[in-house]
Amino acid sequence: MTTTKTVLITGAGSGIGRAIAQCLAKNDYSLILLGRNQDNLEITKKSLEYADKHQYIFCDIRSPKDIINALQKSKIKSLYALIANAGVGGENNYSSDDRWQEIIDTNLTGTYNTIQESVPYLKKNTASFKKIVILSSVLARLGVPGYSAYCASKAGLLGLTRALATELAQDKILVNALCPGWVDTTMAHEGLRAFSEALKITKQEAFEAAMSDVPLGKMSQPDEIAQ
């Protein structure tokens, strides 16, 4: 049994995942960065303090075998925390090219896979409490036309959080979820672009319409979520 400050971060190649990695690296954590774009993962690693202390590994969380291989490749003995951040966004429509399965498989099933394969490593860590943080979304609680898969996947993550928090409490593993609203990431700007095209308005007008529902009238920054 070992106590380490090793943290596994999925979706670490960009956006919130990268910001989380940068935040944790400043606080003496050893990071394992997972993602599907190795170039982006390398950029994240190079941006970290004490970059040589961290490692990045290609991993598609839709595949349990990929996760198993990544954990084995990392050569870690235990984990202090898992940040289950990986996810995809965008619309889906019931048709022959519906993205429902892609979004559910990544956001919900992929997160479930990652947690289940990480739990044995978390159990081996002797810290008083180990941590799992799941990145859900405000859309777990709000509905948006055309985003049925995304909303369902993010709502599913809250159910998963509640179930696992109860299930893993006996192992001193704390399970919590964050539900960010608009965050200044590529995914958010892609959503605004689709919004503007659907309504035949400019992207700036789409941005202003979106921010009208945000009390502060602005997007959060990735590093604010990381904190």
Side-chain angles (χ1 to χ4, degrees), residues 164-217:
L164 291 178
T166 302
E167 182 179 322
L168 298 176
Q170 62 186 358
D171 297 303
K172 306 300 183 186
I173 299 173
L174 308 181
V175 187
N176 288 282
L178 292 178
C179 296
W182 285 101
V183 184
D184 191 6
T185 63
T186 300
M187 184 187 294
H189 287 284
E190 287 173 351
L192 285 176
R193 186 160 42 253
F195 182 31
S196 68
E197 290 171 358
L199 295 182
K200 294 181 169 46
I201 58 178
T202 67
K203 187 180 173 187
Q204 180 59 32
E205 289 171 330
F207 174 81
E208 290 171 0
M211 292 307 102
S212 69
D213 290 328
V214 180
L216 289 178

Side-chain angles (χ1 to χ4, degrees), residues 25-72:
K26 292 176 183 177
N27 289 280
D28 200 32
Y29 289 90
S30 176
L31 307 179
I32 303 166
L33 313 172
L34 301 188
R36 291 191 287 183
N37 187 311
Q38 295 205 118
D39 290 340
N40 287 346
L41 288 172
E42 185 174 5
I43 292 169
T44 296
K45 183 177 183 290
K46 288 180 177 178
S47 75
L48 304 180
E49 293 191 16
Y50 308 106
D52 291 342
K53 181 179 180 179
H54 315 294
Q55 55 182 309
Y56 68 87
I57 304 169
F58 169 84
C59 181
D60 185 338
I61 62 170
R62 294 174 296 181
S63 165
K65 287 184 179 179
D66 259 25
I67 301 166
I68 292 168
N69 290 339
L71 287 165
Q72 290 176 344

Side-chain angles (χ1 to χ4, degrees), residues 79 98 179:
L79 277 173
D98 194 347
C179 296

